[in-house]
Amino acid sequence: MRGSGTVALGERLFRNLRCGACHPEAGREGEELPGPDLTHVGDKLRAGWVEGFLADPRAIRPWLEARMPVFGLSEAERRAVTAFLMTLRDRAAPPL
């Protein structure tokens, strides 16, 4: 995992880009939002895949109308957001 400064930058980017407007965060699971729940994304996905998806978002669930926007993040910004997302995990679950 990258340094905590990278994680903090990723969290700031996540908030500034308003990712929570589409993705439910912990405590908001019951809300109907178009994006998938990211609460435990660090348990479900590999960092390389997440970073690649942020670089080139494509339809994963074609039946959904909502699509991930292309934010045009720099490589450093993608790494930072990915580092933050990888911290969203169940601490009791074994690592991937």
Side-chain angles (χ1 to χ4, degrees):
M1 182 66 61
R2 292 161 180 90
S4 62
T6 302
V7 172
L9 172 61
E11 184 173 10
R12 266 193 317 279
L13 286 165
F14 186 90
R15 304 262 181 250
N16 291 345
L17 294 169
R18 298 187 28 80
C19 300
C22 291
H23 297 281
E25 296 180 67
R28 293 179 47 203
E29 294 85 0
E31 292 183 33
E32 289 294 323
L33 297 175
D37 183 351
L38 301 178
T39 303
H40 299 292
V41 75
D43 294 321
K44 300 173 185 176
L45 302 173
R46 297 191 183 277
W49 185 91
V50 172
E51 193 171 331
F53 181 77
L54 291 174
D56 182 25
R58 56 206 168 280
I60 296 173
R61 297 177 180 103
W63 60 90
L64 295 178
E65 289 183 36
R67 296 287 174 252
M68 175 78 171
V70 177
F71 289 108
L73 299 172
S74 70
E75 184 177 342
E77 289 169 330
R78 288 191 307 270
R79 283 186 185 149
V81 171
T82 298
F84 166 65
L85 292 173
M86 291 299 101
T87 68
L88 304 179
R89 27 180 312 113
D90 177 355
R91 297 295 172 210
L96 286 176

